[in-house]
Amino acid sequence: VLDPRAFLREKREGRTHAPEDLRAFISAHARGDIPDYQVSAWLMASFLNGLDESETDALTQALLHSGRVFDWKDLGRPSADKHSTGGVGDKVSLILAPLVASCGVLVPMVSGRGLGHTGGTLDKLESIPGFRTRLSPEAMRSQLDALGVVMVGQGPDLAPADGKLYALRDVTSTVERDYFIVPSIVSKKIAEGAGALAYDVKCGNGAFMTTPEAATRLARRLVRTSERLGARAAARVTDMNQPLGIAVGNALEVIESVEVLRGGGPADVRELTLELSAVMLRLAGAEPDHAVARGRASRALDSGAALECFGKMVEAQGGDRRAAEESRLAGAPLKVPVTAPVSGTLVGVDTFALGDLVVGIGGGRRSKEDLVDPRVGMRVLRRIGDRIRAGEPVAELHLASPDESALERTRRAFVIEDRACGAPELILASVESATDC
Amino acid sequence: VLDPRAFLREKREGRTHAPEDLRAFISAHARGDIPDYQVSAWLMASFLNGLDESETDALTQALLHSGRVFDWKDLGRPSADKHSTGGVGDKVSLILAPLVASCGVLVPMVSGRGLGHTGGTLDKLESIPGFRTRLSPEAMRSQLDALGVVMVGQGPDLAPADGKLYALRDVTSTVERDYFIVPSIVSKKIAEGAGALAYDVKCGNGAFMTTPEAATRLARRLVRTSERLGARAAARVTDMNQPLGIAVGNALEVIESVEVLRGGGPADVRELTLELSAVMLRLAGAEPDHAVARGRASRALDSGAALECFGKMVEAQGGDRRAAEESRLAGAPLKVPVTAPVSGTLVGVDTFALGDLVVGIGGGRRSKEDLVDPRVGMRVLRRIGDRIRAGEPVAELHLASPDESALERTRRAFVIEDRACGAPELILASVESATDC
């Protein structure tokens, strides 16, 4: 039997845990046999003294095996999924999941809600009237078999130890470490049963990782750990120094997603969706060549095949398919333009501030109990590098009620200076699966 | 209001807490407003990143003010107390408390139970039939006024935050740090209302501090923190590389204490008792000169004044005074000599092993629920530096039932070699109050 005090002493002194001890510790916590106060002391010791790769693997395995692990192999098709570390305006999942499914690869996507200043796929989907994000395992299986895609929330039996551990990390200031973040993400993705994983590691002032170095390090660790747990994996480090696309806010992002599914929409949203879809198709073995895979993904958007799959999924999950497809979602009562105070070039956007503002006007949660207003948000009308004249609108706020301070904070988030500035790259780095290269 | 997460982040990053923040954190924990899991993460962060002197003071104040703080000034006499960091055979408190009281200084002594391999004053006192270690504050006051001495356990209202914090340190492997140990000791001693404090920091293989350097550092911190909290203080670092005196075990130690109170008993017990009593008399202002104070203490033993005070205290606290004074306490059914396997000089004693053995044969507790057998223990017949012949007894075990392994372990604790070895010094270092020198 594991002695929790000796285990704590080991990490306190900077030693490395035996994988079986670490698994036993986390499993015992999940079962309620080790109390929170011993685990939180371990979290702090690990935060300060580190976990190496073998410990990160062991932690991932312990979280994974704390609950149900899905397996879709009997459905006879490859499966894949994507995970984003979270940003502002990132609606890629809504487009990519039906797109990849329409190309013959199963997408058993388990998503989360908004965290901090970022949006969450579940919150966006729930702005479609009637859409259910809780399905039984049986319903997931039959929908996957019929449509190739399902988009649901994390049920209580999927990596339950992770939920327990995350809640403890949140309240003990032990969140920001790769070796805690990676097991939390990878365990849930492996538990979903996806055989191939594409990671989108956001980088910039609207992301949790602010430097390309930190983001690339996290991307490598996500790929390596996923592979050691038995999945194929690759990652892209992508820019989050301005919102992705134009729409920020739940219903607004669904509407923009449908535009992209119709072959239109903002160029950056389409570009990132195609890139990540191509990675998934390639990793899943549906198409070995990346350029060819991109071409297939592109055709799925332009032909309406991806939109058709999206519509069927909405319908199957109880949502109002016509309202979603025809963008007839409830809108905010107030639409207020935010104008540029001076002329010049847009040289920067405080993306965190914009994400946080959308949460603040009701588009997200400050605490678990908060209700989300799907109608509110903003449209970001100008991009970094654009020339702007004083008085021109840079954004449009969608509000539930008048809010002068929101207007002023939005205005201040756009940095306009009298100098030239290029548009930033969208894809900053690629991490390919070790088994691929 | 304090944000516990920001507070944790501060220590995680090695920064120094504002004293008011640290006090607020500990007070909130004591009230139940901050959960154990946040405090245990803080304990680990502090264990690894340290607390400085201002933080140690703040922690001491927070523990102190979590409960009742006694004040005996209206009784019109100076007060003093002694604290030992714990050893094997250390029965000094039982002699010193009535001794100092018989010299006109109030001794409001709050003691603890055995911890780990060490004995506890409360357990020893309870080997006297009827002796009560729980008194109401009113009973403490009237007994102090009448007899000058009271010896009790820590009531639930004396520094309750310390008990809560200690329990958490124990289960999270965050015990061994001066800046946790000092506030725990000093807060309780100040809360007792003693105006002068003598610390006996044990050092050696039977103590928690094994090197003179570590023990002296702890002694300095105890004295400085006590002074900053408003008490006069001094410390002695004393040898614990062999048990103090001959008797180890609860009833055996009471009997030896009475021998010393009668002017006899082992020389080292008498010597250390006189030294610490003199420190208390001096710090309390009863006698400015150390040598004169020692002389007064010595006379209190030889005249029977200290014994008289001891007897009255036992009586006042419900104990069988005659049984205590006449050493008619229940004895163990088995008394087994442990003999030297070879001839030579006693060059070392595994004091930890002996203390642990006495706990193991029933003289202490492995867990909180264990019952203590007051009868068991051992008499340590030879001291380091003594010449011994093979077959001579080195110890006498007092057992409740036959125990061959205890015999063998006792024998192995005495290291006999064929070389000369001097007797160790009893008092290794002195730390005087800064206001004294």
Side-chain angles (χ1 to χ4, degrees):
Chain A
V1 213
L2 182 78
D3 173 359
R5 290 197 278 196
F7 184 79
L8 284 175
R9 215 176 300 122
E10 188 167 78
K11 188 48 68 186
R12 187 191 89 186
E13 288 165 9
R15 287 182 278 138
T16 303
H17 297 305
E20 57 273 22
D21 287 350
L22 207 163
R23 286 195 298 265
F25 184 76
I26 296 297
S27 305
H29 180 231
R31 284 194 312 271
D33 290 345
I34 289 184
D36 282 349
Y37 53 75
Q38 287 183 317
V39 175
S40 65
W42 177 78
L43 287 169
M44 186 58 83
S46 301
F47 191 101
L48 292 171
N49 286 337
L51 296 181
D52 71 10
E53 295 237 331
S54 76
E55 292 174 304
T56 308
D57 288 356
L59 178 53
T60 310
Q61 288 162 346
L63 299 179
L64 172 64
H65 294 295
S66 70
R68 175 195 287 269
V69 179
F70 285 110
D71 185 342
W72 315 109
K73 292 203 188 73
D74 59 315
L75 296 182
R77 277 161 287 170
S79 60
D81 193 14
K82 182 221 59 155
H83 178 83
S84 155
T85 59
V88 178
D90 179 8
K91 69 278 293 176
V92 166
S93 289
L94 277 67
I95 311 159
L96 163 150
L99 190 170
V100 171
S102 76
C103 296
V105 170
L106 300 175
V107 183
M109 189 180 274
V110 176
S111 300
R113 302 199 174 272
L115 187 67
H117 68 287
T118 69
T121 297
L122 290 188
D123 295 330
K124 293 170 197 177
L125 287 169
E126 287 177 355
S127 67
I128 301 170
F131 196 96
R132 291 193 306 266
T133 55
R134 285 256 159 141
L135 299 186
S136 70
E138 297 69 32
M140 280 177 71
R141 172 170 296 273
S142 65
Q143 183 178 324
L144 259 187
D145 196 23
L147 305 180
V149 62
V150 62
M151 295 182 82
V152 296
Q154 186 186 344
D157 53 354
L158 201 79
D162 174 64
K164 221 173 152 177
L165 201 66
Y166 184 82
L168 212 47
R169 283 168 53 212
D170 187 39
V171 293
T172 56
S173 293
T174 52
V175 170
E176 318 92 323
R177 283 287 191 252
D178 283 3
Y179 45 78
F180 290 149
I181 295 168
V182 166
S184 174
I185 293 172
V186 174
S187 64
K188 283 179 286 188
K189 289 286 138 185
I190 300 277
E192 276 179 18
L197 298 169
Y199 291 105
D200 181 8
V201 179
K202 299 293 186 191
C203 174
N205 65 9
F208 294 106
M209 297 287 153
T210 52
T211 69
E213 295 70 32
T216 304
R217 199 169 55 230
L218 176 61
R220 287 213 188 92
R221 246 177 138 152
L222 283 167
V223 169
R224 281 200 303 262
T225 303
S226 300
E227 288 180 346
R228 283 193 302 258
L229 273 276
R232 306 195 72 192
R236 296 292 178 269
V237 174
T238 69
D239 183 61
M240 189 36 71
N241 281 303
Q242 60 188 331
L244 186 71
I246 293 167
V248 182
N250 296 301
L252 290 173
E253 293 192 42
V254 171
I255 292 168
E256 186 166 285
S257 298
V258 171
E259 286 168 17
V260 178
L261 283 163
R262 288 187 184 284
D268 59 337
V269 180
R270 179 177 168 110
E271 164 61 22
L272 185 55
T273 303
L274 291 178
E275 175 66 15
L276 293 167
S277 298
V279 170
M280 288 167 71
L281 293 173
R282 189 164 46 79
L283 289 177
E287 173 51 59
D289 182 79
H290 189 78
V292 177
R294 262 191 80 114
R296 272 179 69 179
S298 183
R299 278 193 303 281
L301 289 182
D302 299 333
S303 69
L307 178 65
E308 174 67 14
C309 186
F310 173 80
K312 283 180 176 165
M313 175 187 76
V314 170
E315 197 166 23
Q317 295 190 223
D320 184 337
R321 176 176 179 174
R322 291 195 57 189
E325 286 186 353
E326 296 168 12
S327 298
R328 287 188 287 96
L329 304 178
L334 294 173
K335 295 178 190 172
V336 192
V338 178
T339 55
V342 294
S343 297
T345 307
L346 183 61
V347 297
V349 177
D350 185 342
T351 317
F352 173 84
L354 293 183
D356 193 55
L357 184 128
V358 169
V359 171
I361 61 176
R365 292 174 196 77
R366 292 279 184 221
S367 74
K368 256 199 256 181
E369 299 72 30
D370 287 352
L371 282 180
V372 169
D373 183 344
R375 306 169 305 166
V376 304
M378 71 171 66
R379 287 165 45 81
V380 178
L381 303 173
R382 307 305 294 266
R383 302 193 64 72
I384 292 174
D386 284 1
R387 291 286 309 165
I388 299 170
R389 275 196 290 197
E392 281 183 349
V394 291
E396 184 184 70
L397 270 177
H398 289 222
L399 297 164
S401 56
D403 188 337
E404 272 304 314
S405 119
L407 230 76
E408 191 41 45
R409 277 181 292 151
T410 305
R411 199 193 312 271
R412 278 204 307 269
F414 289 83
V415 183
I416 298 167
E417 292 181 359
D418 189 17
R419 61 177 172 94
C421 171
E425 288 292 322
L426 179 59
I427 296 171
L428 305 173
S430 292
V431 175
E432 289 301 324
S433 158
T435 58
D436 260 14
C437 49
Chain B
V1 214
L2 183 77
D3 172 0
R5 291 197 279 196
F7 184 79
L8 284 175
R9 216 175 300 124
E10 188 167 79
K11 190 45 69 187
R12 186 191 89 186
E13 289 165 8
R15 286 182 279 138
T16 302
H17 297 304
E20 59 273 23
D21 287 350
L22 208 163
R23 287 195 298 264
F25 184 76
I26 297 297
S27 305
H29 180 232
R31 285 195 310 271
D33 290 344
I34 288 183
D36 282 350
Y37 54 74
Q38 287 185 318
V39 175
S40 65
W42 176 78
L43 287 168
M44 186 58 82
S46 301
F47 192 99
L48 291 171
N49 286 337
L51 296 181
D52 71 9
E53 296 238 328
S54 76
E55 292 173 303
T56 308
D57 287 357
L59 178 54
T60 310
Q61 287 161 346
L63 298 178
L64 171 64
H65 293 295
S66 69
R68 174 194 287 269
V69 179
F70 286 109
D71 185 342
W72 314 110
K73 291 203 189 73
D74 60 314
L75 296 182
R77 277 161 287 171
S79 61
D81 192 15
K82 182 220 60 153
H83 177 83
S84 154
T85 60
V88 178
D90 179 9
K91 68 279 293 174
V92 166
S93 289
L94 277 66
I95 311 157
L96 162 149
L99 190 170
V100 171
S102 77
C103 295
V105 170
L106 300 175
V107 183
M109 189 179 275
V110 176
S111 299
R113 302 198 174 274
L115 187 68
H117 67 288
T118 68
T121 298
L122 289 189
D123 294 330
K124 295 170 194 174
L125 287 169
E126 287 176 356
S127 67
I128 302 170
F131 195 95
R132 287 192 310 266
T133 55
R134 286 255 160 142
L135 297 187
S136 70
E138 296 68 33
M140 280 176 71
R141 171 171 298 272
S142 66
Q143 184 177 322
L144 258 187
D145 195 22
L147 306 179
V149 62
V150 61
M151 296 183 82
V152 295
Q154 187 185 344
D157 54 353
L158 202 79
D162 175 63
K164 222 174 150 177
L165 201 66
Y166 184 81
L168 212 46
R169 282 167 54 209
D170 188 38
V171 293
T172 56
S173 293
T174 52
V175 170
E176 318 91 323
R177 284 288 190 255
D178 283 4
Y179 45 77
F180 290 149
I181 296 167
V182 167
S184 174
I185 294 172
V186 174
S187 63
K188 283 179 286 190
K189 288 287 137 185
I190 300 278
E192 279 180 16
L197 298 169
Y199 292 105
D200 180 9
V201 178
K202 298 291 185 192
C203 175
N205 64 10
F208 294 106
M209 298 285 152
T210 51
T211 68
E213 295 70 31
T216 304
R217 199 170 53 231
L218 177 61
R220 286 213 188 92
R221 246 178 137 149
L222 283 167
V223 169
R224 279 201 304 262
T225 303
S226 300
E227 289 181 344
R228 282 193 303 258
L229 272 276
R232 306 194 73 190
R236 296 293 179 267
V237 175
T238 70
D239 184 61
M240 190 34 71
N241 282 303
Q242 59 188 333
L244 186 72
I246 293 168
V248 182
N250 296 301
L252 290 173
E253 293 191 43
V254 170
I255 292 167
E256 185 166 287
S257 298
V258 170
E259 286 169 17
V260 179
L261 283 163
R262 289 188 183 285
D268 59 338
V269 179
R270 179 178 167 107
E271 163 62 21
L272 185 54
T273 303
L274 292 178
E275 175 67 14
L276 292 168
S277 298
V279 169
M280 286 167 71
L281 293 173
R282 188 164 44 81
L283 289 176
E287 174 52 59
D289 183 80
H290 189 77
V292 176
R294 261 192 81 114
R296 272 181 68 179
S298 184
R299 279 193 303 280
L301 290 181
D302 300 333
S303 69
L307 179 65
E308 173 69 11
C309 185
F310 171 81
K312 284 182 177 164
M313 175 186 75
V314 169
E315 196 166 28
Q317 296 191 218
D320 185 337
R321 177 176 179 173
R322 292 195 54 189
E325 286 184 353
E326 294 168 14
S327 299
R328 289 188 287 96
L329 304 179
L334 295 173
K335 295 178 191 173
V336 191
V338 178
T339 55
V342 293
S343 297
T345 308
L346 183 61
V347 297
V349 177
D350 186 343
T351 317
F352 173 85
L354 293 183
D356 193 56
L357 185 129
V358 169
V359 171
I361 61 175
R365 291 174 197 79
R366 292 278 185 224
S367 72
K368 257 199 262 184
E369 299 72 32
D370 287 353
L371 283 179
V372 169
D373 183 343
R375 305 169 305 167
V376 303
M378 71 170 67
R379 286 164 46 80
V380 178
L381 304 172
R382 306 306 292 266
R383 304 193 62 73
I384 292 175
D386 283 3
R387 291 287 308 165
I388 299 170
R389 276 198 289 200
E392 281 183 350
V394 290
E396 184 184 68
L397 269 176
H398 289 223
L399 296 164
S401 57
D403 188 338
E404 272 303 316
S405 120
L407 232 76
E408 191 42 42
R409 277 180 293 149
T410 304
R411 196 193 314 271
R412 278 205 306 270
F414 290 82
V415 184
I416 298 167
E417 293 179 1
D418 188 18
R419 60 178 171 94
C421 171
E425 289 292 321
L426 180 59
I427 294 171
L428 306 173
S430 293
V431 176
E432 289 300 324
S433 160
T435 57
D436 261 14
C437 47

